[in-house]
Amino acid sequence: MRLVVAPDGRARFGSWEMRCAIGRGGVVADKHEGDGATPAGIVHPVAVLYRSGRVIPPATALPLTPIRPGDGWCDAPGDPAYNGPVRHPYRAGAEHLWRADHLYDLVVVTDHNRDPAIPGAGSAVFLHLARPGYAPTEGCIAFARADLRRLVSRLTPETGIEVLPG
């Protein structure tokens, strides 16, 4: 089964439809670091991260890892760890995964621009929790807590996450 994400902020997984937020830059075919856009195409989930103490570890077929203080994700295109996990303090640009808000309490890491990562082609394209009112993301796809938790329980490494072009 495939998770299909439309540019209008709707997603479908089989017969189940839900609301989501996409990047403030819309959906693009050619993703670039910092453009705020969600990349069109098909990616796959590779792991689930969760914030212990805020989220009960979810049931999932994907590798499951708790987020710890100091965990980060490198977004510096010239760094060897680009688009991968790092520990803070980190010498190059890296997003903090341990956040005061709740956006990263539950995260699905995708294979967008991984293995190998192409410098500048976008990093940290995750599925994560939505801001109030489904405000746009920096390029990720965001869902309500209940919807993301339900998705996490159904995703496998073979699940295609298809973002339709704008």
Side-chain angles (χ1 to χ4, degrees):
M1 194 170 333
R2 200 174 262 186
L3 172 62
V4 180
V5 177
D8 67 356
R10 289 278 172 208
R12 184 176 33 82
F13 191 71
S15 61
W16 172 35
E17 292 189 18
M18 69 211 89
R19 190 171 174 194
C20 66
I22 61 168
R24 62 178 161 70
V27 175
V28 297
D30 190 20
K31 172 79 178 150
H32 296 285
E33 189 67 42
D35 63 5
T38 302
I42 299 173
V43 295
H44 297 88
V46 296
V48 174
L49 310 175
Y50 71 97
R51 175 79 179 261
S52 183
R54 288 187 177 175
V55 173
I56 296 169
T60 182
L62 299 165
L64 182 64
T65 304
I67 297 170
R68 302 170 297 156
D71 283 350
W73 200 268
C74 183
D75 58 9
D79 193 81
Y82 179 60
N83 199 23
V86 296
R87 295 283 299 156
H88 285 287
Y90 192 69
R91 68 182 179 271
E95 189 170 354
H96 288 268
L97 298 179
W98 186 273
R99 297 171 59 120
D101 63 20
H102 293 274
L103 296 186
Y104 286 175
D105 285 1
L106 185 59
V107 175
V108 177
V109 177
T110 71
D111 63 0
H112 170 76
N113 193 30
R114 304 216 40 212
D115 215 10
I118 298 166
S123 64
V125 176
F126 301 145
L127 308 185
H128 65 69
L129 297 175
R131 287 184 171 90
Y134 293 87
T137 69
E138 293 300 312
C140 296
I141 306 163
F143 297 90
R145 182 179 295 266
D147 289 336
L148 185 56
R149 190 159 182 98
R150 185 174 171 195
L151 276 171
V152 163
S153 73
R154 289 162 173 76
L155 297 175
T156 71
E158 293 79 31
T159 304
I161 301 168
E162 182 178 12
V163 178
L164 301 175

